[in-house]
mmCIF file of all heavy atoms in Angstrom:
data_model
loop_
_atom_site.group_PDB
_atom_site.id
_atom_site.type_symbol
_atom_site.label_atom_id
_atom_site.label_comp_id
_atom_site.label_asym_id
_atom_site.label_seq_id
_atom_site.Cartn_x
_atom_site.Cartn_y
_atom_site.Cartn_z
ATOM 1 N N THR A 1 116.607 124.609 139.785
ATOM 2 C CA THR A 1 115.322 125.270 139.613
ATOM 3 C C THR A 1 114.385 124.708 138.697
ATOM 4 O O THR A 1 113.254 124.407 138.914
ATOM 5 C CB THR A 1 115.594 126.819 139.455
ATOM 6 O OG1 THR A 1 116.410 127.329 140.505
ATOM 7 C CG2 THR A 1 114.178 127.491 139.456
ATOM 8 N N ILE A 2 115.054 124.394 137.448
ATOM 9 C CA ILE A 2 114.303 123.869 136.351
ATOM 10 C C ILE A 2 113.861 122.411 136.679
ATOM 11 O O ILE A 2 112.766 121.974 136.307
ATOM 12 C CB ILE A 2 115.005 123.943 135.045
ATOM 13 C CG1 ILE A 2 115.378 125.449 134.674
ATOM 14 C CG2 ILE A 2 114.229 123.383 133.808
ATOM 15 C CD1 ILE A 2 114.253 126.351 134.632
ATOM 16 N N GLN A 3 114.789 121.700 137.252
ATOM 17 C CA GLN A 3 114.376 120.364 137.718
ATOM 18 C C GLN A 3 113.126 120.255 138.559
ATOM 19 O O GLN A 3 112.206 119.518 138.218
ATOM 20 C CB GLN A 3 115.597 119.724 138.552
ATOM 21 C CG GLN A 3 116.747 119.257 137.741
ATOM 22 C CD GLN A 3 117.754 118.611 138.601
ATOM 23 O OE1 GLN A 3 117.381 118.079 139.604
ATOM 24 N NE2 GLN A 3 119.003 118.576 138.133
ATOM 25 N N ALA A 4 113.079 121.132 139.479
ATOM 26 C CA ALA A 4 111.884 121.254 140.320
ATOM 27 C C ALA A 4 110.665 121.594 139.544
ATOM 28 O O ALA A 4 109.559 120.983 139.777
ATOM 29 C CB ALA A 4 112.153 122.337 141.424
ATOM 30 N N GLN A 5 110.809 122.503 138.635
ATOM 31 C CA GLN A 5 109.637 122.863 137.840
ATOM 32 C C GLN A 5 109.080 121.642 136.903
ATOM 33 O O GLN A 5 107.902 121.422 136.832
ATOM 34 C CB GLN A 5 109.985 124.014 136.897
ATOM 35 C CG GLN A 5 110.240 125.327 137.638
ATOM 36 C CD GLN A 5 110.672 126.466 136.819
ATOM 37 O OE1 GLN A 5 110.800 126.230 135.597
ATOM 38 N NE2 GLN A 5 110.969 127.573 137.400
ATOM 39 N N ILE A 6 109.997 120.933 136.411
ATOM 40 C CA ILE A 6 109.726 119.870 135.540
ATOM 41 C C ILE A 6 109.036 118.755 136.394
ATOM 42 O O ILE A 6 107.972 118.163 135.915
ATOM 43 C CB ILE A 6 110.792 119.209 134.707
ATOM 44 C CG1 ILE A 6 111.376 120.205 133.755
ATOM 45 C CG2 ILE A 6 110.513 117.973 134.115
ATOM 46 C CD1 ILE A 6 110.442 120.645 132.679
ATOM 47 N N LEU A 7 109.559 118.449 137.565
ATOM 48 C CA LEU A 7 108.954 117.444 138.323
ATOM 49 C C LEU A 7 107.524 117.826 138.939
ATOM 50 O O LEU A 7 106.704 117.001 138.986
ATOM 51 C CB LEU A 7 109.854 117.140 139.596
ATOM 52 C CG LEU A 7 111.201 116.469 139.211
ATOM 53 C CD1 LEU A 7 112.142 116.488 140.380
ATOM 54 C CD2 LEU A 7 110.934 115.020 138.653
ATOM 55 N N GLU A 8 107.401 119.119 139.186
ATOM 56 C CA GLU A 8 106.107 119.588 139.671
ATOM 57 C C GLU A 8 105.091 119.515 138.511
ATOM 58 O O GLU A 8 103.908 119.181 138.649
ATOM 59 C CB GLU A 8 106.177 121.049 140.134
ATOM 60 C CG GLU A 8 104.850 121.703 140.436
ATOM 61 C CD GLU A 8 103.983 120.878 141.399
ATOM 62 O OE1 GLU A 8 104.551 120.209 142.296
ATOM 63 O OE2 GLU A 8 102.746 120.998 141.137
ATOM 64 N N LEU A 9 105.606 119.785 137.322
ATOM 65 C CA LEU A 9 104.708 119.655 136.119
ATOM 66 C C LEU A 9 104.286 118.200 135.914
ATOM 67 O O LEU A 9 103.053 118.001 135.643
ATOM 68 C CB LEU A 9 105.475 120.056 134.843
ATOM 69 C CG LEU A 9 104.777 119.869 133.546
ATOM 70 C CD1 LEU A 9 103.427 120.687 133.440
ATOM 71 C CD2 LEU A 9 105.692 120.357 132.352
ATOM 72 N N ILE A 10 105.118 117.289 136.150
ATOM 73 C CA ILE A 10 104.704 115.859 135.997
ATOM 74 C C ILE A 10 103.696 115.515 137.042
ATOM 75 O O ILE A 10 102.705 114.726 136.851
ATOM 76 C CB ILE A 10 106.011 114.923 136.073
ATOM 77 C CG1 ILE A 10 106.863 115.161 134.739
ATOM 78 C CG2 ILE A 10 105.569 113.442 136.195
ATOM 79 C CD1 ILE A 10 108.203 114.482 134.845
ATOM 80 N N ALA A 11 103.908 115.965 138.274
ATOM 81 C CA ALA A 11 103.093 115.707 139.448
ATOM 82 C C ALA A 11 101.613 116.374 139.171
ATOM 83 O O ALA A 11 100.597 115.687 139.341
ATOM 84 C CB ALA A 11 103.620 116.219 140.758
ATOM 85 N N ARG A 12 101.660 117.554 138.596
ATOM 86 C CA ARG A 12 100.265 118.156 138.319
ATOM 87 C C ARG A 12 99.656 117.501 137.123
ATOM 88 O O ARG A 12 98.391 117.274 137.312
ATOM 89 C CB ARG A 12 100.693 119.650 137.843
ATOM 90 C CG ARG A 12 99.389 120.410 137.446
ATOM 91 C CD ARG A 12 99.571 121.917 137.307
ATOM 92 N NE ARG A 12 100.599 122.171 136.205
ATOM 93 C CZ ARG A 12 100.266 122.244 134.993
ATOM 94 N NH1 ARG A 12 98.973 121.935 134.522
ATOM 95 N NH2 ARG A 12 101.101 122.436 134.017
ATOM 96 N N LEU A 13 100.306 117.103 136.092
ATOM 97 C CA LEU A 13 99.593 116.347 135.046
ATOM 98 C C LEU A 13 99.127 115.018 135.509
ATOM 99 O O LEU A 13 98.046 114.536 135.103
ATOM 100 C CB LEU A 13 100.647 116.152 133.939
ATOM 101 C CG LEU A 13 101.075 117.380 133.113
ATOM 102 C CD1 LEU A 13 102.249 117.083 132.174
ATOM 103 C CD2 LEU A 13 99.837 118.042 132.408
ATOM 104 N N ARG A 14 99.790 114.444 136.392
ATOM 105 C CA ARG A 14 99.299 113.172 137.002
ATOM 106 C C ARG A 14 98.053 113.359 137.747
ATOM 107 O O ARG A 14 97.012 112.586 137.532
ATOM 108 C CB ARG A 14 100.432 112.561 138.043
ATOM 109 C CG ARG A 14 99.987 111.249 138.690
ATOM 110 C CD ARG A 14 99.356 111.454 140.012
ATOM 111 N NE ARG A 14 100.270 111.961 141.043
ATOM 112 C CZ ARG A 14 100.841 111.211 142.003
ATOM 113 N NH1 ARG A 14 100.570 109.962 141.975
ATOM 114 N NH2 ARG A 14 101.549 111.703 142.932
ATOM 115 N N ARG A 15 97.901 114.503 138.473
ATOM 116 C CA ARG A 15 96.670 114.699 139.170
ATOM 117 C C ARG A 15 95.573 115.111 138.379
ATOM 118 O O ARG A 15 94.441 114.640 138.439
ATOM 119 C CB ARG A 15 96.914 115.895 140.234
ATOM 120 C CG ARG A 15 97.889 115.550 141.294
ATOM 121 C CD ARG A 15 97.856 116.667 142.429
ATOM 122 N NE ARG A 15 98.228 117.959 141.843
ATOM 123 C CZ ARG A 15 99.497 118.534 141.873
ATOM 124 N NH1 ARG A 15 100.422 117.749 142.378
ATOM 125 N NH2 ARG A 15 99.660 119.674 141.370
ATOM 126 N N GLU A 16 95.867 115.941 137.287
ATOM 127 C CA GLU A 16 94.799 116.490 136.376
ATOM 128 C C GLU A 16 94.288 115.457 135.394
ATOM 129 O O GLU A 16 93.149 115.396 135.116
ATOM 130 C CB GLU A 16 95.350 117.659 135.651
ATOM 131 C CG GLU A 16 95.602 118.808 136.518
ATOM 132 C CD GLU A 16 96.280 119.990 135.728
ATOM 133 O OE1 GLU A 16 96.555 119.893 134.522
ATOM 134 O OE2 GLU A 16 96.358 121.109 136.354
ATOM 135 N N ARG A 17 95.323 114.535 134.918
ATOM 136 C CA ARG A 17 94.825 113.570 133.928
ATOM 137 C C ARG A 17 94.781 112.129 134.355
ATOM 138 O O ARG A 17 94.359 111.217 133.585
ATOM 139 C CB ARG A 17 95.916 113.644 132.727
ATOM 140 C CG ARG A 17 95.853 114.824 131.941
ATOM 141 C CD ARG A 17 96.989 114.924 130.831
ATOM 142 N NE ARG A 17 96.869 115.966 129.910
ATOM 143 C CZ ARG A 17 96.678 115.707 128.540
ATOM 144 N NH1 ARG A 17 96.635 114.523 128.151
ATOM 145 N NH2 ARG A 17 96.616 116.699 127.762
ATOM 146 N N GLY A 18 95.069 111.958 135.671
ATOM 147 C CA GLY A 18 94.987 110.522 136.137
ATOM 148 C C GLY A 18 95.973 109.602 135.586
ATOM 149 O O GLY A 18 95.891 108.440 135.400
ATOM 150 N N LEU A 19 97.158 110.129 135.032
ATOM 151 C CA LEU A 19 98.184 109.441 134.457
ATOM 152 C C LEU A 19 98.818 108.426 135.400
ATOM 153 O O LEU A 19 99.047 108.716 136.594
ATOM 154 C CB LEU A 19 99.339 110.365 133.881
ATOM 155 C CG LEU A 19 99.079 111.143 132.753
ATOM 156 C CD1 LEU A 19 100.206 111.991 132.436
ATOM 157 C CD2 LEU A 19 98.686 110.398 131.452
ATOM 158 N N GLY A 20 99.195 107.229 134.951
ATOM 159 C CA GLY A 20 100.076 106.318 135.729
ATOM 160 C C GLY A 20 101.524 106.730 135.184
ATOM 161 O O GLY A 20 101.696 106.986 134.025
ATOM 162 N N VAL A 21 102.503 106.814 136.092
ATOM 163 C CA VAL A 21 103.796 107.284 135.634
ATOM 164 C C VAL A 21 104.936 106.316 136.194
ATOM 165 O O VAL A 21 104.789 105.921 137.302
ATOM 166 C CB VAL A 21 104.080 108.720 136.295
ATOM 167 C CG1 VAL A 21 105.469 109.176 135.864
ATOM 168 C CG2 VAL A 21 103.077 109.788 135.819
ATOM 169 N N ILE A 22 105.872 105.994 135.329
ATOM 170 C CA ILE A 22 107.060 105.303 135.774
ATOM 171 C C ILE A 22 108.165 106.433 135.573
ATOM 172 O O ILE A 22 108.433 106.974 134.612
ATOM 173 C CB ILE A 22 107.511 104.123 134.884
ATOM 174 C CG1 ILE A 22 106.343 103.104 134.783
ATOM 175 C CG2 ILE A 22 108.784 103.602 135.174
ATOM 176 C CD1 ILE A 22 106.636 101.979 133.844
ATOM 177 N N LEU A 23 108.701 106.666 136.742
ATOM 178 C CA LEU A 23 109.838 107.769 136.860
ATOM 179 C C LEU A 23 111.171 107.021 137.015
ATOM 180 O O LEU A 23 111.389 106.280 138.098
ATOM 181 C CB LEU A 23 109.556 108.698 137.981
ATOM 182 C CG LEU A 23 110.627 109.716 138.298
ATOM 183 C CD1 LEU A 23 110.803 110.658 137.042
ATOM 184 C CD2 LEU A 23 110.319 110.543 139.555
ATOM 185 N N ILE A 24 111.995 107.192 136.046
ATOM 186 C CA ILE A 24 113.357 106.474 136.065
ATOM 187 C C ILE A 24 114.413 107.578 136.615
ATOM 188 O O ILE A 24 114.450 108.697 135.973
ATOM 189 C CB ILE A 24 113.743 106.049 134.652
ATOM 190 C CG1 ILE A 24 112.734 104.976 134.136
ATOM 191 C CG2 ILE A 24 115.133 105.404 134.777
ATOM 192 C CD1 ILE A 24 113.079 104.607 132.767
ATOM 193 N N THR A 25 115.106 107.296 137.686
ATOM 194 C CA THR A 25 116.021 108.290 138.128
ATOM 195 C C THR A 25 117.144 107.570 138.994
ATOM 196 O O THR A 25 117.045 106.336 139.292
ATOM 197 C CB THR A 25 115.395 109.260 139.013
ATOM 198 O OG1 THR A 25 116.396 110.226 139.581
ATOM 199 C CG2 THR A 25 114.662 108.585 140.274
ATOM 200 N N HIS A 26 118.260 108.274 139.233
ATOM 201 C CA HIS A 26 119.279 107.692 140.065
ATOM 202 C C HIS A 26 119.221 108.343 141.460
ATOM 203 O O HIS A 26 120.023 107.959 142.328
ATOM 204 C CB HIS A 26 120.696 107.889 139.446
ATOM 205 C CG HIS A 26 120.936 109.372 139.261
ATOM 206 N ND1 HIS A 26 120.528 110.207 138.127
ATOM 207 C CD2 HIS A 26 121.693 110.279 140.059
ATOM 208 C CE1 HIS A 26 121.010 111.374 138.263
ATOM 209 N NE2 HIS A 26 121.562 111.543 139.456
ATOM 210 N N ASN A 27 118.348 109.240 141.677
ATOM 211 C CA ASN A 27 118.328 110.122 142.867
ATOM 212 C C ASN A 27 117.168 109.825 143.681
ATOM 213 O O ASN A 27 116.080 110.198 143.392
ATOM 214 C CB ASN A 27 118.400 111.637 142.324
ATOM 215 C CG ASN A 27 118.631 112.570 143.566
ATOM 216 O OD1 ASN A 27 118.444 112.187 144.700
ATOM 217 N ND2 ASN A 27 118.922 113.769 143.275
ATOM 218 N N LEU A 28 117.333 109.219 144.875
ATOM 219 C CA LEU A 28 116.240 109.005 145.805
ATOM 220 C C LEU A 28 115.683 110.228 146.295
ATOM 221 O O LEU A 28 114.520 110.278 146.715
ATOM 222 C CB LEU A 28 116.746 108.055 146.886
ATOM 223 C CG LEU A 28 116.564 106.561 146.717
ATOM 224 C CD1 LEU A 28 117.206 105.813 147.715
ATOM 225 C CD2 LEU A 28 115.090 106.168 146.629
ATOM 226 N N GLY A 29 116.427 111.347 146.370
ATOM 227 C CA GLY A 29 115.979 112.576 146.946
ATOM 228 C C GLY A 29 114.866 113.064 146.026
ATOM 229 O O GLY A 29 113.916 113.742 146.526
ATOM 230 N N ILE A 30 114.885 112.876 144.681
ATOM 231 C CA ILE A 30 113.870 113.346 143.769
ATOM 232 C C ILE A 30 112.555 112.748 144.023
ATOM 233 O O ILE A 30 111.464 113.359 144.048
ATOM 234 C CB ILE A 30 114.380 113.155 142.345
ATOM 235 C CG1 ILE A 30 115.421 114.159 141.916
ATOM 236 C CG2 ILE A 30 113.137 113.136 141.411
ATOM 237 C CD1 ILE A 30 115.885 113.999 140.559
ATOM 238 N N VAL A 31 112.510 111.438 144.268
ATOM 239 C CA VAL A 31 111.334 110.613 144.345
ATOM 240 C C VAL A 31 110.660 110.720 145.771
ATOM 241 O O VAL A 31 109.471 110.393 145.899
ATOM 242 C CB VAL A 31 111.538 109.161 144.103
ATOM 243 C CG1 VAL A 31 112.243 108.998 142.775
ATOM 244 C CG2 VAL A 31 112.259 108.438 145.199
ATOM 245 N N ALA A 32 111.312 111.286 146.679
ATOM 246 C CA ALA A 32 110.848 111.331 148.069
ATOM 247 C C ALA A 32 109.445 111.874 148.274
ATOM 248 O O ALA A 32 108.552 111.415 148.992
ATOM 249 C CB ALA A 32 111.777 111.985 149.077
ATOM 250 N N SER A 33 109.325 113.006 147.574
ATOM 251 C CA SER A 33 107.960 113.647 147.675
ATOM 252 C C SER A 33 107.057 113.538 146.396
ATOM 253 O O SER A 33 105.976 114.213 146.323
ATOM 254 C CB SER A 33 108.088 115.271 147.898
ATOM 255 O OG SER A 33 108.845 115.786 146.810
ATOM 256 N N LEU A 34 107.432 112.701 145.479
ATOM 257 C CA LEU A 34 106.782 112.609 144.224
ATOM 258 C C LEU A 34 106.239 111.190 143.996
ATOM 259 O O LEU A 34 105.086 111.175 143.507
ATOM 260 C CB LEU A 34 107.716 112.927 143.031
ATOM 261 C CG LEU A 34 107.229 113.092 141.718
ATOM 262 C CD1 LEU A 34 106.288 114.273 141.643
ATOM 263 C CD2 LEU A 34 108.294 113.291 140.692
ATOM 264 N N ALA A 35 107.031 110.248 144.178
ATOM 265 C CA ALA A 35 106.520 108.787 143.946
ATOM 266 C C ALA A 35 105.734 108.204 145.008
ATOM 267 O O ALA A 35 105.924 108.507 146.223
ATOM 268 C CB ALA A 35 107.770 107.963 143.647
ATOM 269 N N ASP A 36 104.810 107.190 144.658
ATOM 270 C CA ASP A 36 104.016 106.611 145.555
ATOM 271 C C ASP A 36 104.715 105.322 146.016
ATOM 272 O O ASP A 36 104.590 104.780 147.114
ATOM 273 C CB ASP A 36 102.630 106.087 144.953
ATOM 274 C CG ASP A 36 101.933 107.373 144.479
ATOM 275 O OD1 ASP A 36 101.536 108.279 145.322
ATOM 276 O OD2 ASP A 36 101.741 107.585 143.274
ATOM 277 N N ARG A 37 105.502 104.648 144.982
ATOM 278 C CA ARG A 37 106.243 103.467 145.356
ATOM 279 C C ARG A 37 107.575 103.466 144.685
ATOM 280 O O ARG A 37 107.742 104.189 143.657
ATOM 281 C CB ARG A 37 105.398 102.250 144.862
ATOM 282 C CG ARG A 37 105.828 100.872 145.231
ATOM 283 C CD ARG A 37 105.034 99.757 145.071
ATOM 284 N NE ARG A 37 105.560 98.579 145.687
ATOM 285 C CZ ARG A 37 105.385 98.217 146.940
ATOM 286 N NH1 ARG A 37 104.539 98.995 147.747
ATOM 287 N NH2 ARG A 37 105.946 97.092 147.383
ATOM 288 N N VAL A 38 108.580 102.921 145.259
ATOM 289 C CA VAL A 38 109.968 102.859 144.770
ATOM 290 C C VAL A 38 110.425 101.439 144.576
ATOM 291 O O VAL A 38 110.300 100.609 145.468
ATOM 292 C CB VAL A 38 110.901 103.647 145.700
ATOM 293 C CG1 VAL A 38 112.371 103.605 145.231
ATOM 294 C CG2 VAL A 38 110.428 105.078 145.988
ATOM 295 N N GLU A 39 111.010 101.237 143.487
ATOM 296 C CA GLU A 39 111.660 99.968 143.159
ATOM 297 C C GLU A 39 113.117 100.280 142.923
ATOM 298 O O GLU A 39 113.532 101.063 142.006
ATOM 299 C CB GLU A 39 111.094 99.271 141.826
ATOM 300 C CG GLU A 39 109.594 99.190 141.710
ATOM 301 C CD GLU A 39 108.966 98.298 142.757
ATOM 302 O OE1 GLU A 39 109.659 97.370 142.989
ATOM 303 O OE2 GLU A 39 107.808 98.497 143.057
ATOM 304 N N VAL A 40 114.018 99.805 143.848
ATOM 305 C CA VAL A 40 115.418 100.023 143.745
ATOM 306 C C VAL A 40 116.052 98.903 142.993
ATOM 307 O O VAL A 40 115.983 97.696 143.261
ATOM 308 C CB VAL A 40 116.026 100.055 145.170
ATOM 309 C CG1 VAL A 40 117.504 100.417 145.121
ATOM 310 C CG2 VAL A 40 115.392 101.176 145.968
ATOM 311 N N MET A 41 116.806 99.408 141.895
ATOM 312 C CA MET A 41 117.380 98.339 140.996
ATOM 313 C C MET A 41 118.898 98.358 141.128
ATOM 314 O O MET A 41 119.551 99.531 141.256
ATOM 315 C CB MET A 41 116.956 98.594 139.512
ATOM 316 C CG MET A 41 115.630 98.318 139.100
ATOM 317 S SD MET A 41 115.333 98.174 137.294
ATOM 318 C CE MET A 41 116.241 96.651 136.837
ATOM 319 N N TYR A 42 119.496 97.257 141.042
ATOM 320 C CA TYR A 42 120.906 97.054 141.039
ATOM 321 C C TYR A 42 121.380 95.807 140.193
ATOM 322 O O TYR A 42 121.007 94.771 140.472
ATOM 323 C CB TYR A 42 121.578 96.968 142.505
ATOM 324 C CG TYR A 42 123.027 96.927 142.440
ATOM 325 C CD1 TYR A 42 123.681 98.174 142.444
ATOM 326 C CD2 TYR A 42 123.798 95.736 142.482
ATOM 327 C CE1 TYR A 42 125.065 98.229 142.343
ATOM 328 C CE2 TYR A 42 125.167 95.766 142.456
ATOM 329 C CZ TYR A 42 125.780 97.010 142.315
ATOM 330 O OH TYR A 42 127.223 97.022 142.320
ATOM 331 N N ALA A 43 122.194 96.124 139.144
ATOM 332 C CA ALA A 43 122.797 95.107 138.347
ATOM 333 C C ALA A 43 121.689 94.035 137.836
ATOM 334 O O ALA A 43 121.873 92.961 137.910
ATOM 335 C CB ALA A 43 123.904 94.267 139.107
ATOM 336 N N GLY A 44 120.561 94.717 137.344
ATOM 337 C CA GLY A 44 119.530 93.862 136.671
ATOM 338 C C GLY A 44 118.559 93.258 137.636
ATOM 339 O O GLY A 44 117.609 92.621 137.136
ATOM 340 N N TRP A 45 118.725 93.462 138.981
ATOM 341 C CA TRP A 45 117.856 93.008 139.936
ATOM 342 C C TRP A 45 116.961 94.209 140.532
ATOM 343 O O TRP A 45 117.568 95.192 140.660
ATOM 344 C CB TRP A 45 118.390 92.370 141.172
ATOM 345 C CG TRP A 45 118.947 90.893 140.888
ATOM 346 C CD1 TRP A 45 118.743 90.145 139.892
ATOM 347 C CD2 TRP A 45 119.973 90.261 141.713
ATOM 348 N NE1 TRP A 45 119.352 88.989 140.069
ATOM 349 C CE2 TRP A 45 120.145 88.957 141.211
ATOM 350 C CE3 TRP A 45 120.568 90.563 142.910
ATOM 351 C CZ2 TRP A 45 120.965 87.979 141.756
ATOM 352 C CZ3 TRP A 45 121.477 89.542 143.533
ATOM 353 C CH2 TRP A 45 121.603 88.400 142.922
ATOM 354 N N ILE A 46 115.839 93.889 140.977
ATOM 355 C CA ILE A 46 115.094 94.770 141.919
ATOM 356 C C ILE A 46 115.581 94.228 143.379
ATOM 357 O O ILE A 46 115.307 93.187 143.678
ATOM 358 C CB ILE A 46 113.685 94.793 141.756
ATOM 359 C CG1 ILE A 46 113.215 95.627 140.571
ATOM 360 C CG2 ILE A 46 112.996 95.498 143.118
ATOM 361 C CD1 ILE A 46 111.757 95.756 140.335
#
């Protein structure tokens, strides 16, 4: 529940302030509705 609140807060601040955001995560499920673009990294490579 708190994860969802924090992610929604980041999304709202992006909209209100026009922030560019780099979101680091291991969970593709988190970025599905949040990120505009995804870079998948493995062992030092994209």
Side-chain angles (χ1 to χ4, degrees):
T1 302
I2 303 302
Q3 283 186 26
Q5 292 175 3
I6 295 297
L7 293 172
E8 172 53 34
L9 173 59
I10 292 173
R12 177 171 63 80
L13 292 170
R14 180 268 290 260
R15 294 192 300 270
E16 293 176 355
R17 289 178 169 240
L19 291 173
V21 179
I22 300 176
L23 176 64
I24 302 172
T25 182
H26 61 275
N27 188 344
L28 267 172
I30 284 177
V31 307
S33 60
L34 190 64
D36 302 296
R37 190 167 187 89
V38 179
E39 311 290 335
V40 181
M41 287 195 71
Y42 184 80
W45 283 346
I46 288 182

